[in-house]
Amino acid sequence: MQRYSTMRLTGATLAVLALSACAGGNYRPVADAPVRIGPAYTIRGTTYVPAAAPAYDAVGYASWYGNESGNRTASGEQFRPGWITAAHTTLPLPTYVEVTALDTGRRIIVRVNDRGPFALGRIIDLSRGAAEELGMKAQGHAPVRVRRVEPSEKDRKRLREGKAATRIEPVSAQELQRLRVRLPAKGQ
């Protein structure tokens, strides 16, 4: 009898482990809590200090990434290249930002769930899905404005499910002109 219940327990344990592997293994579920700021860290001689930064508003360059499909993001979630996500060096994970393409004025809301970019002059790395939404996938790099925002719960839910948030009207030509003046020279 002892042997039969040990075999049954072993079988049940194996079934649970097999099912958990199908459900994503060691990935954290996509959620807005807990928000993680994290300790300072150093990459290639540069130290990054994550901070809350509720008024974050920067102009610089964006690139996109997508070959890391299935990898674990810094927030512990599975990276899905088609989702509207991004990587930032210091913003809390997750954070929502509005990204404006300074060549077209097009704007999107993006969920930051990873760390990066670690290249000089870049302020954000967009997933392939976010780059497509913003219209910059073919370029590879683009001048952008990144501004922290608090989207509606409806938009947060859509982004957590891998879908785009509600469309935002492009910025005016006058606002684009004002933002382009803030753009640092490429490579800075």
Side-chain angles (χ1 to χ4, degrees), residues 26 57 75 107:
N26 294 329
D57 187 345
S75 64
R107 299 184 294 165

Side-chain angles (χ1 to χ4, degrees), residues 24-80:
N26 294 329
Y27 299 117
R28 191 178 138 226
V30 177
D32 283 349
V35 172
R36 291 183 26 211
I37 293 177
Y41 62 99
T42 302
I43 303 286
R44 291 184 228 132
T46 301
T47 299
Y48 300 94
V49 182
Y56 184 86
D57 187 345
V59 173
Y61 293 89
S63 57
W64 67 272
Y65 64 121
N67 297 334
E68 298 83 3
S69 183
N71 284 357
R72 186 183 174 104
T73 66
S75 64
E77 299 168 0
Q78 181 179 8
F79 175 66
R80 296 171 175 99

Side-chain angles (χ1 to χ4, degrees), residues 16 35 42 73 82 92 105 122 127 135 149 170 176 186:
V16 168
V35 172
T42 302
T73 66
R122 287 194 232 149
S127 65
V149 295
L176 272 180
K186 227 176 188 178

Side-chain angles (χ1 to χ4, degrees), residues 27 30 63-73 77-87 108 110-111 113-114 125-134 137 159 161-164:
Y27 299 117
V30 177
S63 57
W64 67 272
Y65 64 121
N67 297 334
E68 298 83 3
S69 183
N71 284 357
R72 186 183 174 104
T73 66
E77 299 168 0
Q78 181 179 8
F79 175 66
R80 296 171 175 99
W83 286 29
I84 314 301
T85 60
I108 63 170
V110 176
R111 185 171 181 272
N113 70 344
D114 206 358
D125 265 347
L126 302 172
S127 65
R128 184 191 72 232
E132 288 169 349
E133 275 291 307
L134 196 59
K137 183 176 175 255
L159 288 162
E161 294 171 348
K163 302 171 191 155

Side-chain angles (χ1 to χ4, degrees), residues 1 10 92 144 174:
M1 187 65 156
T10 302
V144 295
Q174 183 179 7

